Amino acid sequence: MKNTLFRLFFLLLFVVSVQAQEASYFYATMDSNDASKLKVALPNEIDIIATKGNQSAVYIARTAALKLQESLLLHGPGYVFKSSLEKALFSLDTKAINQQNKIVNFTITEDVLVNQAINMVNSDNIEDDILTLEGYGTRYHTKTSAAQAVYDLKDKWEAMALAAGRTDVSVRIFNHSNTNMPSVIMTIEGAETPDDYIIIGGHIDSINSSNNNDAPGADDNASGIATIIEISRVLFDMDFIPKKTVEFMAFAAEEIGLVGSSEIAEEYSYNNINVEAYVQFDMTNYAGSSSDVYITTDTYNSASLNNFLIDLIGHYNSSGDHQFTYGTTACNYGCSDHFSWAQQGYDAAFPFEAAFGQHNPFIHSSQDTYSMMGNTDHATKFAKLGLEFVIESAKSNALSVNDYLNNKMLLLMKDKQLTYRLVDLDDTILEVSIYDISGKKIVTHSSNRQSGIISLQNLDLGFYIAVFNFNKNGYIAKKFILR
Ligand code: BES
Ligand code: ZN
């Protein structure tokens, strides 16, 4: 009798748990073609709630989501988790909303700073950071070591900003509703137009399809995070002060459906934050194809931002020490966090390590380790592209004083006359602007030569800043004392 009761109890337990699993449905958005195929294959496990363009909002069973991963796509999940029906529908609509009134003009004007920056990239730092991240053993979103990696990156960024003496930098943790793992965001507040945002990001979590206790995620995506950290280090070391706000993001829980980035992008969109451009770094260190950087041309990406990246490579990386090549490829689905930003209508791009299909074959396994790659030559190219992108899109604050070109521009002050002369730089000065210490422009002097004299007889004695605008090399700003 006791035995039968026991058996009954276990049978009940089994039935309840099977039902609980079957009842495990969630909202998501996905490619509408995938959704229709799934509806044909598993009619009871997916409801297509709404479709707009090539995206559908669905209510889907976990079992069906797994099938999607196995059968329809090379890589899954191929869907983006949404915590509610409202959010799923909102995602279908927002693209149109944000795309209104948006004209972002990408230009290349900061040659001096960019050339300085790309010379400073150090591949050893990228190696160190990949090894550190791999060292957590797993960064699967439910593990405490994943959260620890995020808190440690927060500490690292705070220490870097402090060491650089930056009061315009802050680092914050972003807690999520649909994962216990947090994300981390570092912000450099724009000096001139802080409401305009330039963002680079990547996911810091990892996954192993067979055992999430061992998910080193060295290429996917310690490489992207290490690339972003190195970009930030160079910007601090060169005292780069952006006009626009620049943010660096490390996302939680990308590997289970872009959970971290979609919550953040939704919040930015909800708060009407003007993100002018978002660039994703996810897998930067495996050189699987004949070219170096692969610009992904998925239709949800921004063609103008992609063209800007291509122009940057053409301008800064077509010859010389920093030369590398590019090709184009596509994921054909929302394969990484840039999709979360694109879905909110923001201009997004994803420069990738190889042609799709020739990428690192060890990802999502215990073999995605640094030793499988051996060096960071490949990621170093992405760090350079990232610096080119950040500096040229956020632009340098004109009143930051660039002392590194001290020896290129000679100034002499005598009898309230400022004599300037360019040495060893193949360029001409178009215009010289003089600012007072409050930042007000008080003199504009056109030059069109390599040297000249500006008479400042009617100015008070004291501190001023002279900004020399070049024909080719952007500008140099120098402080001087009028006497
Ligand atoms: N790094 C990959 C994305 C990737 C893999 C891009 C291979 C190109 C080639 C990312 O971490 C990932 O695994 N994404 C998922 C989809 C996501 C929505 C969970 C994938 O591709 O399976
Ligand atoms: Zn992945």
Side-chain angles (χ1 to χ4, degrees):
M1 177 62 191
K2 216 177 177 186
N3 217 336
T4 331
L5 259 179
F6 251 118
R7 277 197 201 149
L8 218 82
F9 175 72
F10 279 110
L11 188 74
L12 202 76
L13 206 73
F14 177 74
V15 168
V16 167
S17 79
V18 165
Q19 273 182 344
Q21 262 196 345
E22 277 180 355
S24 156
Y25 281 72
F26 61 93
Y27 293 100
T29 54
M30 62 166 63
D31 183 273
S32 31
N33 282 326
D34 291 346
S36 330
K37 283 192 215 160
L38 216 53
K39 186 73 192 168
V40 173
L42 304 163
N44 297 323
E45 297 186 27
I46 179 169
D47 271 340
I48 302 178
I49 302 162
T51 296
K52 202 161 198 176
N54 57 3
Q55 285 291 306
S56 294
V58 298
Y59 190 56
I60 185 173
R62 297 226 174 264
T63 45
L66 277 173
K67 296 249 167 56
L68 176 70
Q69 195 167 356
E70 288 158 9
S71 59
L72 292 179
L73 302 164
L74 282 168
H75 295 271
Y79 57 83
V80 177
F81 174 88
K82 297 287 160 187
S83 54
S84 67
L85 175 59
E86 287 69 34
K87 284 203 169 144
L89 291 173
F90 180 75
S91 305
L92 290 190
D93 273 337
T94 42
K95 181 148 191 162
I97 298 167
N98 276 318
Q99 269 184 345
Q100 292 165 4
N101 310 327
K102 191 176 58 181
I103 312 148
V104 183
N105 194 11
F106 297 115
T107 58
I108 300 181
T109 57
E110 312 289 293
D111 293 61
V112 176
L113 284 183
V114 171
N115 283 313
Q116 184 201 8
I118 61 183
N119 265 315
M120 290 166 71
V121 174
N122 180 342
S123 47
D124 293 344
N125 293 332
I126 301 178
E127 174 177 334
D128 288 349
D129 289 332
I130 293 177
L131 288 170
T132 300
L133 286 164
E134 185 178 330
Y136 289 94
T138 177
R139 302 184 310 282
Y140 188 64
H141 77 114
T142 58
K143 310 287 180 185
T144 52
S145 52
Q148 195 56 51
V150 172
Y151 294 125
D152 291 349
L153 178 53
K154 176 176 189 271
D155 290 347
K156 183 183 175 93
W157 268 338
E158 278 173 345
M160 286 166 68
L162 188 70
R166 301 286 293 245
T167 51
D168 56 342
V169 174
S170 57
V171 188
R172 69 187 161 116
I173 289 288
F174 190 109
N175 288 307
H176 295 287
S177 327
N178 295 296
T179 173
N180 286 326
M181 183 181 178
S183 297
V184 56
I185 300 173
M186 176 163 72
T187 308
I188 308 179
E189 196 190 356
E192 287 186 28
T193 54
D195 291 342
D196 298 335
Y197 282 63
I198 298 296
I199 304 179
I200 59 175
H203 68 92
I204 190 169
D205 68 319
S206 66
I207 198 168
N208 177 342
S209 347
S210 49
N211 172 16
N212 277 317
N213 288 318
D214 183 8
D219 193 32
D220 187 8
N221 181 30
S223 66
I225 297 299
T227 302
I228 291 166
I229 297 173
E230 179 61 1
I231 292 168
S232 66
R233 184 200 63 82
V234 169
L235 293 174
F236 287 152
D237 279 2
M238 64 191 283
D239 292 324
F240 176 71
I241 313 279
K243 280 187 181 171
K244 299 175 187 172
T245 293
V246 177
E247 292 199 313
F248 308 82
M249 300 192 177
F251 303 114
E254 183 266 358
E255 298 284 13
I256 57 158
L258 316 181
V259 169
S261 58
S262 63
E263 288 187 13
I264 295 175
E266 273 170 19
E267 184 176 290
Y268 276 54
S269 170
Y270 184 78
N271 292 331
N272 283 317
I273 294 184
N274 181 34
V275 179
E276 290 195 347
Y278 175 85
V279 174
Q280 172 76 359
F281 291 94
D282 182 4
M283 299 171 63
T284 61
N285 201 39
Y286 179 85
S289 298
S290 53
S291 297
D292 294 314
V293 171
Y294 281 78
I295 304 292
T296 56
T297 57
D298 294 88
T299 50
Y300 57 81
N301 286 336
S302 157
S304 61
L305 184 53
N306 272 348
N307 285 332
F308 182 48
L309 295 180
I310 289 170
D311 287 348
L312 289 170
I313 296 171
H315 191 83
Y316 289 113
N317 312 106
S318 58
S319 64
D321 289 349
H322 305 296
Q323 187 179 6
F324 59 80
T325 56
Y326 76 90
T328 58
T329 191
C331 283
N332 291 314
Y333 61 100
C335 60
S336 194
D337 302 301
H338 58 304
F339 184 66
S340 300
W341 297 90
Q343 270 205 313
Q344 300 305 324
Y346 295 129
D347 274 359
F350 176 32
F352 186 60
E353 66 184 12
F356 191 85
Q358 296 179 344
H359 57 270
N360 192 325
F362 302 113
I363 62 166
H364 301 181
S365 83
S366 58
Q367 295 183 74
D368 182 8
T369 60
Y370 182 69
S371 63
M372 290 299 193
M373 302 180 284
N375 62 61
T376 51
D377 294 352
H378 208 57
T380 296
K381 295 162 185 160
F382 286 78
K384 290 175 182 173
L385 177 59
L387 282 162
E388 293 158 15
F389 164 69
V390 170
I391 295 171
E392 290 287 9
S393 59
K395 301 296 182 194
S396 170
N397 173 29
L399 294 184
S400 64
V401 178
N402 315 326
D403 281 337
Y404 63 95
L405 270 172
N406 252 338
N407 52 347
K408 300 273 183 244
M409 177 62 76
L410 297 183
L411 295 189
L412 179 70
M413 169 56 60
K414 201 170 180 258
D415 301 333
K416 286 189 146 185
Q417 294 204 103
L418 180 69
T419 305
Y420 59 90
R421 180 191 305 279
L422 197 57
V423 283
D424 287 341
L425 193 65
D426 173 28
D427 210 338
T428 49
I429 300 157
L430 295 178
E431 193 180 82
V432 186
S433 308
I434 311 282
Y435 295 81
D436 69 15
I437 48 167
S438 76
K440 202 170 82 203
K441 193 195 266 197
I442 43 177
V443 175
T444 308
H445 163 96
S446 55
S447 172
N448 284 319
R449 298 188 298 144
Q450 288 216 320
S451 62
I453 300 175
I454 309 171
S455 178
L456 300 169
Q457 299 306 323
N458 38 22
L459 295 187
D460 294 338
L461 302 183
F463 242 123
Y464 293 88
I465 293 170
V467 178
F468 300 88
N469 280 295
F470 297 114
N471 186 22
K472 291 187 291 196
N473 285 289
Y475 63 83
I476 295 178
K478 284 180 85 84
K479 54 184 181 295
F480 67 90
I481 298 171
L482 184 65
R483 50 186 170 187

